[in-house]
Amino acid sequence: MPDFSFLILYVDNPPASATFYSGLLERPIIEQAPTFAMLPLRDGIMLGLWSRQAVEPPANGAAGAGEIAFVVIDTGEVDRLHADWASRGLTIAQPPTRMDFGYTFTALDPDGHRLRVFRPAAE
């Protein structure tokens, strides 16, 4: 099986999106051009930000049709990140909420991609 190495989001402005994600996730921008930017996430996984106008073949999905999820160690961290991201001006699509899978909130990036933070429910 091939190794998973990239998560690519189609965005309107890759340099602006790279700056957004670099600040939000505290990761360096390691590649940047007008139509593509890249940041390391962890364990060799990269976040690619590709211009939706330049991607080949053209993409036909809408932002928000999926989500990037971030697991945290406790519910206090969910609340802390919610407050931090809200103070940065991110749109909060779902405030901190208890759901079947755990305690969570959902924010949107500038292109409308969903960013979910959650603490899994105890088993």
Side-chain angles (χ1 to χ4, degrees):
M1 172 181 237
D3 288 335
F4 178 73
S5 61
F6 269 88
L7 170 64
I8 298 177
L9 299 178
Y10 305 128
V11 299
D12 287 327
N13 184 328
S17 291
T19 298
F20 168 81
Y21 277 103
S22 179
L24 188 71
L25 303 176
E26 300 177 355
R27 302 283 195 233
I29 300 167
I30 62 171
E31 183 177 330
Q32 186 166 298
T35 61
F36 185 80
M38 183 169 56
L39 296 88
L41 292 177
R42 60 179 285 218
D43 301 329
I45 305 300
M46 299 292 170
L47 174 61
L49 303 161
W50 200 347
S51 170
R52 73 174 84 248
Q53 295 81 21
V55 65
E56 291 292 335
N60 59 7
E67 51 187 50
I68 301 174
F70 302 92
V71 176
V72 296
I73 59 171
D74 59 41
T75 58
E77 184 68 358
V78 172
D79 291 331
R80 187 191 73 72
L81 285 172
H82 171 261
D84 177 57
W85 291 12
S87 75
R88 293 173 186 246
L90 274 73
T91 299
I92 303 299
Q94 178 188 41
T97 305
R98 291 201 185 280
M99 300 186 74
D100 292 347
F101 59 86
Y103 186 59
T104 186
F105 78 91
T106 305
L108 304 178
D109 79 0
D111 289 280
H113 297 287
R114 294 166 57 124
L115 308 173
R116 180 176 300 278
V117 173
F118 72 102
R119 164 60 168 101
E123 294 185 22

